[in-house]
Amino acid sequence: MLKPLEDRVVLRVKVEEEKTVGGIVLASSAQEKPQTATVVAVGPGKTTPHGNLIAPALKVGDTVIFEKFSGTTVKVDGEDFLIIKASDLLAIVE
């Protein structure tokens, strides 16, 4: 499994439907990139110049909303994950 460094977070992006409400199948290029994901790993946090550790305000299992074109996609054991900085997360869905 991936272990993120500093304030980075590993996300499992939710797969969006390939059909519209009317049943029209969309080509992958026409689909909008999903912006919600589940947190699967959280780094220890960011260290300030004074040496204090600022821990991320989220935990494994949280559902989050992230900026549309942020992060890096990686494939591990055939599954796609998104590694993103905590500052690129917009909200935790409750």
Side-chain angles (χ1 to χ4, degrees):
M1 189 58 195
L2 298 169
K3 182 178 179 182
L5 301 174
E6 294 187 351
D7 65 336
R8 289 179 176 79
V9 180
V10 179
L11 304 175
R12 179 176 291 121
V13 179
K14 297 190 180 204
V15 178
E16 296 294 319
E17 288 290 322
E18 295 181 8
K19 292 183 180 180
T20 64
V21 176
I24 299 170
V25 178
L26 298 174
S28 60
S29 60
Q31 294 176 21
E32 192 168 314
K33 183 177 177 182
Q35 289 180 258
T36 58
T38 303
V39 176
V40 295
V42 180
K46 189 88 170 170
T47 304
T48 67
H50 297 12
N52 298 326
L53 184 67
I54 302 172
L58 49 104
K59 62 188 179 309
V60 173
D62 282 346
T63 299
V64 295
I65 299 172
F66 57 92
E67 291 186 5
K68 199 171 234 174
F69 298 106
S70 57
T72 302
T73 303
V74 295
K75 186 172 273 208
V76 177
D77 298 329
E79 188 172 4
D80 288 330
F81 294 96
L82 182 68
I83 300 175
I84 190 170
K85 286 189 173 189
S87 60
D88 289 335
L89 296 174
L90 302 174
I92 297 173
V93 179
E94 295 184 339

